[in-house]
Amino acid sequence: MGIQLEIDKGFSSTTFTVKDDFGFNSKSITVDNYRIADYQLQQARNAMNMAYDVDSGM
């Protein structure tokens, strides 16, 4: 089973969604854009390589 990270960067906020390959289990969090730097988005993508389930991905 794999874990996927979706990052939806809007005008004022960014939503991170972590879900499994089957789409049955997912969690989301929305953060204001002024709290996130672009390098942190890349860090989030890199960290997903070590996630083994949705909870560890969050």
Side-chain angles (χ1 to χ4, degrees), residues 6-45:
E6 293 179 0
I7 299 175
D8 182 21
K9 190 168 184 177
F11 179 73
S12 62
S13 64
T14 298
T15 301
F16 298 88
T17 303
V18 178
K19 61 183 179 179
D20 62 16
D21 284 339
F22 305 110
F24 297 120
N25 193 7
S26 68
K27 291 187 177 184
S28 297
I29 187 169
T30 301
V31 182
D32 294 329
N33 281 343
Y34 72 88
R35 297 178 183 254
I36 301 172
D38 287 337
Y39 79 92
Q40 290 172 311
L41 296 176
Q42 188 58 44
Q43 286 178 330
R45 289 182 187 104

Side-chain angles (χ1 to χ4, degrees), residues 1 3 48 50-54 56-57:
M1 176 175 78
I3 303 297
M48 288 307 296
M50 296 183 281
Y52 55 89
D53 64 7
V54 171
S56 68

